[in-house]
Amino acid sequence: MADLTRRDVLGAAVVTAGAAAVDAAQANAAPAAGQERPALPAFRFPLEAQKARVEDGGTAREASVAQFPVSKAIAGVSMRLQPGGLRELHWHANAAEWAYVIRGRCRVTVYDPEGRSETADFGPGDVWYFPRGHGHSIQGLGPDECHFILVFDNGSFSEFATFSITDWLAHTPVATLAKDLGVPVAALKGLPRREAYIVKGAVPPALPASPAPGSQHAPRLTHRYALEAQEPRAFGGGTVRIVSAHEFPISTTMTGALMTLEAKALRELHWHPNADEWQYYIAGRARMTVFASGGRAQTVDFGPGDVGYVPQGYGHYIENIGDAACRMLLVFNSGEYQEIGLSGWLASNPPRLVAANLGLPESVVAKFPRRNQFIAR
Ligand code: MN
Ligand code: MN
């Protein structure tokens, strides 16, 4: 009974998410005799269409496994901070935080278990990474709204259940706090009675150029990486910038990529042996088919503000189906980037074997690319 209910829910999700292109009949095909073949969950979640948590100073929309059942290993949040808006001091007990700034500027301060801290300003194209449990805050610097995407290496993570400082202090006897902070109880009368989450602050002054704040006790590894400043790998149909622990050593559990596909270009068929893939579509329109084995696949169209998800090892491609360039953020839950592409795989097998396997003449196989395409036109 419980299983039937779950399957009904998953089936409904497929239809909702895939109006454009899901082959619902195939996704829901009855299992062959003696075989369990559950329907596929939806691989698309319209994040920016969700109702936001609205605070004085900013907003947040989240996609955890609760809203997006397939995203078991990675959760995400779209956050906007007004000038001065402060995502308050907090930490995450069960997830590291990876972020990419799409628009605007913000300042981040992070404090680590070695008692070292880093304060740094972020702008469009910059990435941050906070290891699990490190204390941090984020403040909008203006003059415009700052919009960034947060990604967590735990699908059960909820941005609305973080360990926020106001929540903690509000649930501690005030006499104890007064002892800890070395002030009279009366001096703490103004403390919030509940979690603030985002507070409205004033835009802080520019950071001093020298010495940079925290430079006396700066962490051994920086939390900031300028992804968009990286020289991209260029292909006939687009570009990609990848930041793994190799380029950004503190990011031991996550890898990010910024990819641009020109009109009609195709990020070729591939899979990732070691990681799930979480996607945020920034601009343009794209189509993806996720292949889940056992005759199961789902083809879905994506537009700006949509989130996509590909479980570890599942085959997929991304094709630009619009007239303009398509730009997307891809985040993996491993600090090491791995992929296996169709064209490189086939080129690495004897042509005769490939011809026999695919039922094609060897003359056709001979025309296949001789190495990994990555992005094809
Ligand atoms: Mn956080
Ligand atoms: Mn991929």
Side-chain angles (χ1 to χ4, degrees), residues 90 92 97 136:
H90 68 283
H92 311 301
E97 173 174 326
H136 56 275

Side-chain angles (χ1 to χ4, degrees), residues 87 90 92 97 130 136 138 152 159:
R87 173 64 179 99
H90 68 283
H92 311 301
E97 173 174 326
F130 306 141
H136 56 275
I138 310 157
F152 303 91
E159 170 66 11

Side-chain angles (χ1 to χ4, degrees), residues 105-108 119-123 126 139 141 204-207 224:
R105 293 169 48 74
C106 62
R107 178 169 302 168
V108 154
T119 298
D121 289 353
F122 288 73
D126 290 341
Q139 187 165 32
L141 292 178
L207 293 175
R224 178 178 175 275

Side-chain angles (χ1 to χ4, degrees), residues 221-259:
L221 299 174
T222 181
H223 299 78
R224 178 178 175 275
Y225 182 84
L227 180 55
E228 196 145 20
Q230 183 189 95
E231 188 66 32
R233 290 172 65 191
F235 304 90
T239 62
V240 67
R241 294 170 169 87
I242 296 178
V243 55
S244 68
H246 179 71
E247 295 82 14
F248 186 29
I250 199 169
S251 183
T252 55
T253 67
M254 298 174 88
T255 291
L258 186 64
M259 186 162 71

